[in-house]
Amino acid sequence: MIQFRIQPDSEIPASNQLFNQIRFAIASRQYPPGYKLPSTRALAMQTGLHRNTISKVYRQLEEDGFVESLAGSGIYVRAQGHEGGSRLRSPILEQYPQAYKVVQQALDDLLSQGCTLSQAREIFLAEIDWRLRCSARVLVAVPKQDIGAGELMMDELEQALKIPVQLVATEELASVLEQTSSATVVTSRYFIHDVEAIAAPKAVRVIPLDIHDYAKEIAIVKGLPKDSCIGIVSVSSGILRATEVIIHGIRGDELLVMTSQPKDTYKLHAIVKRAHMIFCSDQSSFAAVQGAVQVVVDDIIRPPKLVRSDNYIGEKSIGLLRRELGLG
């Protein structure tokens, strides 16, 4: 007979502990279809629980479709195969129809390596628990030289995920992680190598983010007349450098590219006076350019066309991070 263990000092009620353990025994086929469950007396002697508590657990198992009661005979495990049973009634599996196959494959792989079902269960639960704990604190890490990229990520993540996010320079990440036992560190894929080197020894979770593909902006650049002047304004110095390289790769020397951060008033005014079109990577830069246009509007014949990028982080990365953090 399977030995069920109840932890009296656990925050989980004893009845829930027993219910989950029996349900796992059924799902793992340690209690196969047709198996007769132990009597309430036998289970009470094993677990130390009152027979009324065990009867309540059995009733819940029956209501959920795991077992069926046969009058005068006992309680038996119901068939739970792919063709029916409670597994297919789960709304989660209806939403993610391939989920069971993914879990089944992972479980089969663990068993093929020599794991027992109980050990596999502990591995799954430990990983889920660790990820949930890590989700309680989210850090954005970028190098000091491009702290603007971190500001972009932090602002967008807080707006998209509705949770507080802390910005940390990569050079200071080690000392910050010394003060926490669990966290999720988020960074651009461009900086992932350095961040992982710091976080890995701390057993801290690191998630790389892909940036927006800027397809709309690239299409505009490709269609600009030769000798056009383009302005690029961003809080991220990394974006400014990368953009210059990308535009040169697309158009060579056909276009003049001017760059500035929003706080550099001199460069900003020079761009506004000279550029035919100005690309802004973020709201702060967009507002700064609008302000600069108003200041020099009397000195220019035709104001530049402003293009505000939608976001910095790719939409797929936002969705992935939301799921990784357990935010739905």
Side-chain angles (χ1 to χ4, degrees), residues 48-75:
L49 299 178
H50 195 279
R51 291 178 64 182
N52 289 342
T53 300
I54 297 171
S55 296
K56 177 183 176 182
V57 170
Y58 279 1
R59 284 196 299 273
Q60 184 63 51
L61 288 167
E62 186 170 14
E63 290 175 4
D64 289 355
F66 291 102
V67 301
E68 57 184 339
S69 176
L70 300 181
S73 177
I75 298 176

Side-chain angles (χ1 to χ4, degrees), residues 4 16-31 37 57 60-61 64 66-67 77 80 86-87 121:
F4 298 111
N16 289 5
Q17 292 183 51
L18 181 60
F19 176 86
N20 290 334
Q21 291 180 49
I22 295 177
R23 186 174 61 173
F24 179 77
I26 294 172
S28 63
R29 291 185 175 266
Q30 295 179 74
Y31 279 177
L37 267 61
V57 170
Q60 184 63 51
L61 288 167
D64 289 355
F66 291 102
V67 301
V77 176
Q80 304 290 319
S86 62
R87 184 182 295 141
R121 178 176 182 270

Side-chain angles (χ1 to χ4, degrees), residues 65-325:
F66 291 102
V67 301
E68 57 184 339
S69 176
L70 300 181
S73 177
I75 298 176
Y76 295 83
V77 176
R78 294 182 61 183
Q80 304 290 319
H82 302 287
E83 69 285 349
S86 62
R87 184 182 295 141
L88 289 183
R89 292 201 299 270
S90 169
I92 298 177
L93 290 180
E94 291 178 4
Q95 185 177 3
Y96 304 105
Q98 298 300 314
Y100 177 72
K101 291 183 180 180
V102 173
V103 173
Q104 186 181 48
Q105 181 61 53
L107 186 57
D108 288 343
D109 289 345
L110 287 172
L111 294 177
S112 68
Q113 295 178 36
C115 262
T116 66
L117 284 170
S118 295
Q119 289 171 331
R121 178 176 182 270
E122 289 185 20
I123 290 171
F124 277 115
L125 292 179
E127 177 68 13
I128 291 171
D129 179 65
W130 177 67
R131 291 194 179 200
L132 289 174
R133 285 188 288 108
C134 287
S135 301
R137 187 178 188 189
V138 179
L139 309 175
V140 169
V142 296
K144 283 184 179 179
Q145 65 178 12
D146 195 9
I147 203 69
E151 293 173 357
L152 285 178
M153 285 190 281
M154 183 180 69
D155 290 343
E156 290 187 11
L157 291 178
E158 288 188 334
Q159 291 181 22
L161 304 179
K162 308 302 181 185
I163 60 173
V165 178
Q166 179 181 351
L167 177 59
V168 179
T170 306
E171 294 85 347
E172 300 170 359
L173 182 59
S175 61
V176 172
L177 295 181
E178 289 288 349
Q179 303 171 25
T180 183
S181 58
S182 58
T184 293
V185 179
V186 178
T187 190
S188 164
R189 202 171 291 277
Y190 291 111
F191 309 132
I192 188 66
H193 178 74
D194 292 338
V195 172
E196 281 189 331
I198 297 170
K202 310 291 185 183
V204 170
R205 195 167 168 222
V206 180
I207 300 178
L209 298 178
D210 292 312
I211 65 171
H212 181 58
D213 60 13
Y214 295 104
K216 176 185 72 176
E217 292 83 354
I218 290 175
I220 293 174
V221 169
K222 288 181 177 179
L224 288 174
K226 185 179 179 180
D227 296 326
S228 294
C229 177
I230 299 178
I232 310 294
V233 182
S234 174
V235 296
S236 168
S237 59
I239 287 181
L240 298 180
R241 291 192 298 271
T243 303
E244 282 192 275
V245 173
I246 292 171
I247 293 177
H248 186 270
I250 295 173
R251 297 294 303 267
D253 296 327
E254 293 181 344
L255 304 177
L256 172 63
V257 180
M258 301 175 69
T259 65
S260 175
Q261 291 186 294
K263 60 186 178 182
D264 194 330
T265 304
Y266 178 80
K267 284 188 176 181
L268 206 58
H269 287 179
I271 289 176
V272 168
K273 292 178 180 179
R274 179 71 176 84
H276 301 94
M277 181 173 291
I278 301 177
F279 294 91
C280 305
S281 71
D282 53 275
Q283 182 56 42
S284 175
S285 297
F286 186 71
V289 172
Q290 286 182 314
V293 170
Q294 293 301 315
V295 171
V296 302
V297 67
D298 294 334
D299 300 328
I300 52 180
I301 298 175
R302 179 180 298 174
K305 181 179 179 180
L306 307 187
V307 179
R308 162 78 163 89
S309 296
D310 295 330
N311 52 291
Y312 176 67
I313 304 172
E315 291 184 6
K316 289 185 178 179
S317 282
I318 290 287
L320 173 61
L321 184 59
R322 182 180 286 112
R323 293 191 294 273
E324 288 275 2
L325 297 176

